[in-house]
Amino acid sequence: MAWLAEEAVDMAQNENVDLDFSTESIERVEELLAKLHDEYQARGDENGMNGLALAYGAYVGEAIRRSETGAHWEEDSDIAGPGSYPIYWRDGASFPVACCYKRMSDGPEENVWHKFQVLKQGL
């Protein structure tokens, strides 16, 4: 996941967006995902969305892992199944790859920055 997160940093740089693995940078990921949502809507297909969700989800998870003591990745989840890449932190599991996919697919109601803030505050 760390390698994929670095790929997201490179992709963001191509869009003139700097990602530094701070949790605040998750807001910039949200902006990138919003733009991708609009592009996918305009094209009318979801081709390539899985790869982007993996990269940006890995980035969001890595930003969390680097800021939260004890946070760690796993490949599979009892809840979401194999290959769901949960990150465990604050006594629970989050699924940043799925969240990024839903943001690109479903739109603003799936805002990853807002979801992160809610989880960070323990709500």
Side-chain angles (χ1 to χ4, degrees):
M1 295 307 277
W3 178 82
L4 281 170
E6 290 293 343
E7 290 294 305
V9 171
D10 291 343
M11 289 187 303
Q13 283 182 332
N14 290 336
E15 298 294 323
N16 296 315
V17 175
D18 290 323
L19 298 179
D20 60 7
F21 290 101
S22 66
T23 55
E24 292 79 14
S25 68
I26 295 171
E27 187 171 18
R28 292 190 293 276
V29 171
E30 166 58 31
E31 293 166 4
L32 290 164
L33 295 173
K35 181 178 176 186
L36 287 166
H37 167 76
D38 293 344
E39 289 173 9
Y40 278 112
Q41 291 295 305
R43 278 196 342 230
D45 74 47
E46 296 183 352
N47 199 15
M49 197 180 293
N50 284 334
L52 290 168
L54 271 168
Y56 285 117
Y59 178 84
V60 170
E62 275 296 294
I64 292 168
R65 187 187 66 77
R66 293 176 186 201
S67 72
E68 294 286 328
T69 303
H72 68 279
W73 287 103
E74 291 192 14
E75 185 174 346
D76 304 327
S77 162
D78 291 339
I79 297 167
S84 55
Y85 298 101
I87 186 159
Y88 290 89
W89 64 297
R90 295 196 170 206
D91 300 322
S94 295
F95 299 88
V97 173
C99 288
C100 288
Y101 186 92
K102 286 184 67 64
R103 175 58 180 98
M104 287 185 288
S105 176
D106 296 350
E109 64 272 12
E110 298 294 338
N111 185 303
V112 296
W113 173 240
H114 293 159
K115 286 181 181 183
F116 168 74
Q117 290 177 312
V118 167
L119 291 171
K120 182 80 172 173
Q121 294 171 9
L123 301 175

